[in-house]
Amino acid sequence: MAKPKLALYWASSCGGCEIAVLDIQEKILDVANAFDIVFWPVAMDFKYDDVRKMEDKSIDLCLFNGAIRNSENAELAHLLRAKSKALVAFGSCAHEGCIPALANLTTKDAILKWVYKDSPSTVSLNGGVYPQTHTKMPEGEIEIPEMWGTVKSLDQVIDVDYYVPGCPPQPFQIWNVIEYILSGKPLPPKGSVLGADDKTCCDECPRERKEKKIKKFFRPYEILPDPNECLLDQGIICMGPATRSGCGALCTKANMPCRGCYGAPPNVVDQGAKMVSALSSVVDSQDPNEIDEILNQIADPLGTFYRFSMAHSILKRVDKI
Amino acid sequence: MKQIKIDPITRLEGHGKIDIFLNDDGEVANTYFQIPELRGFEQFCVGRPVEEMPRITTRICGVCPEAHHMASAKACDAVFHVEIPPTAKKLRELLYNVFYAGDHTTHFYALGGPDFVVGPDAPKAQRNILGVVAKVGLEVGGKVIEMRRRTQEVIKILGGKNTHQVTSLPGGVSKGINEEERKLIEEHCKWFVDFGKFTIQVFNDIVLKNKAYVDLILSDMFSMKIYSMGLVDEKNRVNFYDGKVRVVDPDGKEFVKYSPNDYLDVVSEHVEPWTYLKFPFLKKVGWKGFVEGKDSGIYRATPLSRLNAADGMPTPAAQEEYDRMYKTLGGKPVHATLATHWARTIELLSAAEMALDLVRDPEITGTNIRAIPTATPTEGVGIVEAPRGTLTHHYITDEKGILRKANLIVGTTNNYAPISLSINKAARGLIKKGTTVTDGILNTVEMAFRAYDPCFGCATHTLPGQMPLVVNIRNKDGEIIQEIKRN
């Protein structure tokens, strides 16, 4: 019997998700033995045209990582959707936009202006040269994709079957997902989150928690935290209460606060709103003015509470595309 | 005019495509190497607390997050005007050298290597690590997987996570190591040094003993006489983590040596409308387009250029190899693009030796690992030598340490113009009137960029570890001539 076909692709992402796939170490051989890998640009020399020639639904499983940031990302998302039976939003970028979606806090124009005109090392002649989607050169026309004004998660562009969170997903979680698929068990319901657990990061953090009463917030560089006590108890913003479990609390074990890369916990629609809710119960004051003063110590609430989930949040910008 | 597209280019980190235009005679009229995306970190990081930058900029690259983590942390130290304790510096440097050894390994065996080992015109389904294993044997494949596993183990101890490290912050690091961890890391580092020596032997056996490859390395179409850039220590030896950036001209003479703070005096960036990536060049020489020579401001920042820009290596075994490479290739500087692979193996060995020295330093288990910044934050530049080239992070903050401006010149960006020129030269050298443009020829064009861009060893997914595997070696007619089994 022919092996099932597997494709891996990255859109707007950093490559960390693919590194994480490798980090399952020798178990990757089970994957190589079980699947016929038909597309993986970072490792193999198959080109886009090879995918275009494939039959629709001929890829059994596609792990798609990266956010949708430009027309090429979207084109490949649609192409791989058409060719795939099961398509997985793999990693935080595809799942919720991740850090590239912090760009939704600024504008495309501001990005282009800084990068190609105002940044101190850039030579800007005649008001600046900006990338164009189509450029006529002496030999003919060449093209680059159109950068979008808004970064989108994968499911805002195509239909997605499953989600694997994490920046990147932890290798042992990736293996759990693959092992499940290889076992031949019935697939979980469409829309399921795989490769993660069903509590919050706090539940897997070994630090001792007490009743939180916070009057002052500290930034991580400002204090030497007690290595055994809850970081939030010590006034350091830690996204643990608003983050899905599954990573093993790696950051807090390294004496640094969680930043929320596994996304919102189960049954939570918006990670940032969940964090606001969590904080509202720990600020040690009943006086509205004092509460304001305490909360104002948080340096960058928007960029911190939505560090990994901006594209998928309930916060939406006015402009489209 | 005929147009050939290579889309996407493969076995590299990131996206890219190549357009080759042929004139009516079938000769190369021009080539364009385009980068199709921009994510905009420099702009969307504005407004973020600067101490978060070492954790945010790791997401520029998940293949070398360590480089961004370190350059960012160093820029943050500078923003806060804080000197980090010696133990913290050594812990960062230890992590960085272990990362270097691992990163160079994966590029050599999985990305650049298959072109040499399997051959540039082998079928594309074989030009990957499986083909490498079939050629050099299962023992090598097993060692590569073990190297990856060991380097990842050390990085997780020191950096908190395998990918996207978290432990460096302004003033030092968030966690140190105890004696038990130190001993474990020391054992790994001893293994890394042996692996480095082994890799140099592999390069000798597979590449240098093959006259066709040596001829390819030394061929004019894979040679380019331009400036070389690299970070050096106080004795002008190669250093990956710290020091000054030195640039030598195409004759090997020092052109400039600068501190991170002075980078804007030395480097500028040129913009073209047909690509999202900018082209850095030496400001004092100027942008002259895609041309070589002393009058052209383009430079390379690669393993080879780092060796060209330095007077030697910081460790003994790597120094021996450094001397042997230049003796073999006719003295310094070397401009053969494909010799970058040789330089990479020398750097791998050097990083391993350096890591072993650091883990044996009595200060490495010290507990003074953080200095709390007290000065008002302002502006700072951090530079490390990423495997792909000199990496510059420049931050300007308000008095509360909130980022107001950021400028990044990323490793591979330095090499964008040279890569474009290398592709052009390779295409012109390979495609002549009457040439049938085969997949093998186009792949040989791609070799021109693979020499620059290490990237990661994702192709190791087919490597044999402890799992059963059958590798068939076929002759050119597709017949199996050898079967290798591992149970």
Side-chain angles (χ1 to χ4, degrees):
Chain A
M1 201 174 81
K3 289 180 184 178
K5 291 184 165 58
L6 173 69
L8 299 98
Y9 186 69
W10 61 10
S12 185
S13 67
C14 70
C17 287
E18 310 211 10
I19 286 285
V21 173
L22 288 181
D23 285 344
I24 66 174
Q25 306 298 350
E26 73 276 0
K27 286 175 182 165
I28 196 78
L29 294 170
D30 284 358
V31 179
N33 285 336
F35 292 98
D36 181 11
I37 301 174
V38 294
F39 186 50
W40 196 4
V42 81
M44 295 183 156
D45 286 344
F46 301 110
K47 307 296 185 186
Y48 291 159
D49 269 345
D50 296 314
V51 181
R52 291 186 185 106
K53 286 172 192 162
M54 293 175 190
E55 298 273 327
D56 278 2
K57 304 293 175 198
S58 61
I59 297 169
D60 294 276
L61 177 65
C62 174
L63 303 180
F64 190 108
N65 75 77
I68 306 300
R69 215 278 169 265
N70 63 34
S71 56
E72 182 181 76
N73 302 152
E75 184 190 342
L76 263 293
H78 283 290
L79 179 65
L80 287 164
R81 175 68 278 182
K83 304 298 178 189
S84 305
K85 286 178 191 153
L87 188 137
V88 178
F90 186 79
S92 177
C93 285
H95 179 208
E96 297 190 312
C98 196
I99 279 174
L102 288 175
N104 291 357
L105 295 174
T106 180
T107 65
K108 176 181 168 181
D109 285 348
I111 290 172
L112 295 176
K113 187 167 178 291
W114 174 257
V115 172
Y116 300 111
K117 185 167 182 280
D118 294 342
S119 69
S121 51
T122 299
V123 176
S124 177
L125 298 171
N126 304 321
V129 174
Y130 289 85
Q132 308 294 321
T133 55
H134 295 76
T135 310
K136 283 199 169 104
M137 305 306 293
E139 302 82 11
E141 189 169 89
I142 52 177
E143 302 166 15
I144 46 176
E146 183 184 4
M147 180 181 171
W148 284 3
T150 300
V151 176
K152 293 179 182 285
S153 61
L154 187 58
D155 66 0
Q156 288 169 343
V157 177
I158 57 160
D159 190 36
V160 165
D161 296 307
Y162 303 109
Y163 300 88
V164 174
C167 181
Q170 286 305 302
F172 77 93
Q173 294 285 14
I174 296 172
W175 177 246
N176 287 346
V177 172
I178 292 169
E179 195 173 38
Y180 187 92
I181 292 167
L182 291 178
S183 72
K185 290 178 192 165
L187 290 173
K190 185 174 170 176
S192 296
V193 171
L194 313 174
D197 298 336
D198 56 4
K199 293 182 177 174
T200 70
C201 187
C202 293
D203 290 298
E204 51 190 9
C205 176
R207 289 170 178 269
E208 187 188 356
R209 277 180 290 170
K210 296 173 183 164
E211 193 185 353
K212 296 180 178 65
K213 287 294 170 194
I214 297 171
K215 271 206 184 289
K216 179 165 174 53
F217 286 106
F218 296 94
R219 287 158 67 176
Y221 72 90
E222 291 179 317
I223 59 167
L224 297 172
D226 183 298
N228 301 314
E229 281 186 26
C230 168
L231 290 164
L232 196 52
D233 280 354
Q234 298 179 66
I236 296 172
I237 288 290
C238 179
M239 288 288 290
T243 301
R244 184 186 281 271
S245 58
C247 70
L250 291 172
C251 296
T252 61
K253 285 177 184 167
N255 219 14
M256 290 295 277
C258 170
R259 285 290 173 256
C261 81
Y262 259 65
N267 304 317
V268 171
V269 174
D270 187 280
Q271 190 176 20
K274 170 69 179 171
M275 190 61 195
V276 171
S277 161
L279 284 176
S280 66
S281 64
V282 298
V283 170
D284 187 14
S285 175
Q286 299 298 321
D287 173 16
N289 291 332
E290 190 185 17
I291 291 172
D292 273 353
E293 276 177 29
I294 294 170
L295 291 177
N296 281 340
Q297 295 166 353
I298 300 172
D300 173 28
L302 197 58
T304 307
F305 302 165
Y306 292 98
R307 175 75 55 84
F308 292 89
S309 61
M310 184 63 71
H312 222 250
S313 74
I314 55 175
L315 305 175
K316 298 294 176 198
R317 61 199 313 161
V318 174
D319 59 330
K320 295 177 179 174
I321 298 296
Chain B
M1 200 73 71
K2 187 183 172 194
Q3 188 173 359
I4 301 169
K5 285 177 193 275
I6 305 177
D7 187 21
I9 53 175
T10 40
R11 282 187 282 132
L12 86 164
E13 181 274 317
H15 300 79
K17 68 170 179 150
I18 297 170
D19 280 78
I20 302 171
F21 285 96
L22 304 183
N23 62 24
D24 294 341
D25 289 335
E27 291 173 336
V28 175
N30 211 347
T31 59
Y32 296 94
F33 173 40
Q34 296 171 278
I35 301 300
E37 73 166 354
L38 170 73
R39 282 177 290 162
F41 275 78
E42 291 161 314
Q43 182 61 27
F44 71 61
C45 286
V46 169
R48 312 282 85 79
V50 73
E51 72 274 10
E52 297 293 326
M53 291 296 278
R55 300 185 68 176
I56 293 175
T57 58
T58 46
R59 272 72 180 194
I60 290 172
C61 180
V63 181
C64 57
E66 294 87 349
H68 288 284
H69 190 58
M70 292 302 169
S72 184
K74 288 175 72 180
C76 283
D77 296 337
V79 162
F80 285 98
H81 312 280
V82 61
E83 189 79 31
I84 71 171
T87 296
K89 181 169 186 276
K90 284 170 184 168
L91 285 166
R92 285 187 190 174
E93 208 170 355
L94 173 60
L95 187 163
Y96 204 59
N97 278 281
V98 171
F99 149 67
Y100 237 86
D103 191 272
H104 276 354
T105 298
T106 48
H107 179 268
F108 177 72
Y109 287 98
L111 297 160
D115 292 323
F116 282 104
V117 180
V118 187
D121 52 3
K124 62 178 158 186
Q126 291 176 19
R127 285 192 314 255
N128 51 49
I129 191 68
L130 186 60
V132 172
V133 172
K135 187 76 177 279
V136 301
L138 297 173
E139 188 196 356
V140 178
K143 282 194 183 199
V144 174
I145 271 204
E146 187 170 354
M147 182 70 178
R148 267 199 66 79
R149 182 183 61 70
R150 285 173 179 262
T151 54
Q152 292 298 301
E153 192 175 331
V154 176
I155 287 167
K156 191 169 177 181
I157 292 169
L158 295 168
K161 289 176 73 179
N162 284 1
T163 306
H164 303 323
Q165 294 67 39
V166 300
T167 49
S168 289
L169 71 169
V173 292
S174 66
K175 84 181 266 292
I177 55 170
N178 57 33
E179 177 56 21
E180 191 184 342
E181 289 169 320
R182 193 204 68 76
K183 276 185 186 159
L184 177 69
I185 297 171
E186 184 181 15
E187 286 308 306
H188 287 318
C189 288
K190 282 194 262 186
W191 199 90
F192 299 156
V193 172
D194 288 341
F195 184 84
K197 290 175 179 170
F198 166 78
T199 298
I200 282 175
Q201 190 60 45
V202 169
F203 187 82
N204 264 325
D205 294 346
I206 299 292
V207 182
L208 296 180
K209 287 182 182 169
N210 185 326
K211 185 175 182 307
Y213 290 158
V214 174
D215 289 346
L216 192 66
I217 289 171
L218 296 176
S219 68
D220 187 52
M221 66 177 168
F222 281 108
S223 172
M224 190 165 51
K225 289 181 179 150
I226 60 172
Y227 289 81
S228 298
M229 175 182 279
L231 203 58
V232 293
D233 66 14
E234 70 285 353
K235 292 179 181 168
N236 285 337
R237 299 174 305 191
V238 168
N239 193 297
F240 305 130
Y241 175 79
D242 208 9
K244 290 186 175 181
V245 182
R246 194 182 194 207
V247 181
V248 299
D249 70 17
D251 299 324
K253 191 178 157 207
E254 183 176 299
F255 171 73
V256 67
K257 192 159 87 168
Y258 65 92
S259 297
N261 281 343
D262 300 324
Y263 83 102
L264 287 172
D265 295 337
V266 178
V267 178
S268 289
E269 294 180 281
H270 170 80
V271 184
E272 286 283 340
W274 44 266
T275 181
Y276 284 107
L277 194 60
K278 295 184 280 191
F279 297 93
F281 62 94
L282 298 168
K283 196 174 181 178
K284 284 176 185 158
V285 187
W287 173 259
K288 306 287 167 58
F290 302 99
V291 289
E292 31 182 335
K294 201 184 266 190
D295 295 333
S296 171
I298 66 174
Y299 61 89
R300 292 198 257 212
T302 64
L304 180 63
S305 70
R306 285 192 283 270
L307 268 52
N308 280 340
D311 291 341
M313 305 304 293
T315 55
Q319 179 65 41
E320 268 182 46
E321 289 303 317
Y322 177 95
D323 291 338
R324 189 170 68 89
M325 182 185 87
Y326 282 113
K327 193 176 168 195
T328 308
L329 296 177
K332 281 179 70 180
V334 165
H335 295 295
T337 303
L338 298 177
T340 306
H341 296 295
W342 194 347
R344 189 169 287 120
T345 64
I346 296 169
E347 286 197 338
L348 192 170
L349 178 58
S350 180
E353 288 182 285
M354 186 64 102
L356 186 57
D357 284 349
L358 283 161
V359 80
R360 285 173 169 168
D361 189 306
E363 270 188 324
I364 203 75
T365 48
T367 53
N368 180 19
I369 56 172
R370 285 269 309 275
I372 303 289
T374 53
T376 304
T378 54
E379 179 174 0
V381 178
I383 289 184
V384 296
E385 198 63 44
R388 293 155 186 82
T390 311
L391 174 61
T392 305
H393 281 223
H394 178 193
Y395 305 148
I396 297 172
T397 73
D398 64 15
E399 72 283 359
K400 290 181 177 170
I402 301 299
L403 193 74
R404 292 298 167 216
K405 289 179 180 174
N407 194 37
L408 310 174
I409 301 179
V410 178
T412 294
T413 308
N414 296 285
N415 299 314
Y416 190 19
I419 292 171
S420 299
L421 184 53
S422 292
I423 288 169
N424 191 285
K425 288 191 77 167
R428 285 178 194 280
L430 290 160
I431 304 171
K432 307 282 188 191
K433 187 176 180 179
T435 302
T436 303
V437 181
T438 61
D439 174 70
I441 284 180
L442 295 181
N443 184 58
T444 311
V445 173
E446 289 194 67
M447 284 172 69
F449 77 74
R450 282 196 197 105
Y452 292 83
D453 192 351
C455 188
F456 67 88
C458 31
T460 48
H461 72 285
T462 51
L463 269 176
Q466 297 309 308
M467 298 296 167
L469 184 80
V470 178
V471 178
N472 292 324
I473 302 178
R474 298 169 189 267
N475 66 16
K476 63 181 169 51
D477 299 321
E479 295 162 354
I480 297 173
I481 55 173
Q482 189 183 353
E483 183 181 76
I484 304 169
K485 280 188 181 176
R486 178 170 180 139
N487 297 312

